[in-house]
Structure formats: structure tokens, C-alpha cells
Amino acid sequence: MRETGLTIGEAAEALGVSTDTLRYYERSGLLPKTPRAANGYRYYDRNALRRVRFIRHAQQVGFTLEEAHALMRLRGNACACCQDVRGVALAKRAELEHKIKMMAAMAEALSALIDVCVDDHGSLDDCPILAALEQNLEQHR
């Protein structure tokens, strides 16, 4: 990394993201606006790279961009403490666990539909999966 930092292309490559991602992060306030140098290039310093790595890792553990931004704001809040961050993490884990349960129930329901569909060559008019989905739709009208 040169003294002034990396160009947007170099930073994107080093971070494994697109240049559009870096521009989006700037527009949305996740990254501070990077001023242009005299040559017209934007240079991303170590701090910007660290922020992007933080955002990407936060996403990998389930946080949205908005939630990652909130975590970064907590980090910059002199009144915040580790318990505040832990609370956010606990709430995210509960949300993920709820989604996992919901998805498991959906997978189970889909498995039940697949299990009743044993005639691979039957007509679509006799397809039990389509019939069950249509029946459910009619019940909700």
C-alpha cells in the first residue's frame, strides 16, 4: 500500500469486493467519503480497509449492512460498552434462530408435499404438490 493508500480498484481487489460495493458503502455512509487526490484518484487508507473488512465479517455472521453500520456507530460512542454490543449480538442470534426454525418448518412441509408426489409421469392436473398449493391458496382467500 502506498503512503496515500490504495486506488478504488486496488482496494476492491484486496478486499474481494467490487468497486461498486465500495462506492455504495460511501453513498450509504458505511465508509466516509474518500476525497480525490490531485490526480483525480480516490485513495483508501488502512482505516477504510479495516471498516470494509469489519462490514464483510459482520455480514458473514448474519448482520445486515444497516446493523453493521449501527455496530460501527456503537464503537464510536464513548458512552457505549461491550454489553451494548453483546445485546445487539444476542438479538441477532435470536432472530437467526427464529428464521432457522421457520425454514426448518418450511423444509418439513415441502418434504411432506414431495413425499405424496410419487407418480413422476402423472399429469399436472393430478399433481399433488400443485393441488396442495392451490388448496392452501383457496383457504386464504
Side-chain angles (χ1 to χ4, degrees):
M1 181 184 313
R2 62 181 72 79
E3 235 178 271
T4 54
L6 300 176
T7 64
I8 192 167
E10 293 167 339
E13 186 175 336
L15 294 164
V17 300
S18 70
T19 56
D20 287 340
T21 296
L22 293 177
R23 288 184 188 104
Y24 177 79
Y25 287 176
E26 282 186 9
R27 281 193 313 273
S28 63
L30 289 160
L31 275 179
K33 296 274 188 216
T34 304
R36 292 188 186 272
N39 62 6
Y41 289 116
R42 290 181 175 147
Y43 291 101
Y44 293 82
D45 62 13
R46 281 182 167 66
N47 190 38
L49 300 179
R50 186 174 53 83
R51 285 178 72 99
V52 173
R53 286 187 186 104
F54 177 91
I55 293 164
R56 302 296 286 173
H57 192 216
Q59 287 181 300
Q60 288 172 350
V61 298
F63 289 105
T64 64
L65 287 177
E66 185 177 317
E67 292 164 337
H69 199 185
L71 287 169
M72 288 188 295
R73 284 192 302 270
L74 270 177
R75 188 177 229 342
N77 180 347
C79 297
C81 65
C82 190
Q83 182 178 351
D84 298 321
V85 176
R86 186 172 193 275
V88 171
L90 285 168
K92 175 49 75 173
R93 185 180 67 189
E95 179 186 322
L96 291 172
E97 288 171 349
H98 176 72
K99 285 181 181 181
I100 289 167
K101 286 179 185 175
M102 295 294 291
M103 292 183 85
M106 288 188 282
E108 192 175 309
L110 188 55
S111 290
L113 290 174
I114 291 167
D115 289 345
V116 299
C117 186
V118 292
D119 186 4
D120 290 340
H121 301 290
S123 75
L124 291 180
D125 290 336
D126 297 327
C127 177
I129 295 173
L130 293 176
L133 295 173
E134 288 170 352
Q135 179 184 12
N136 197 335
L137 180 64
E138 291 299 319
Q139 289 175 354
H140 286 94
R141 285 190 181 174

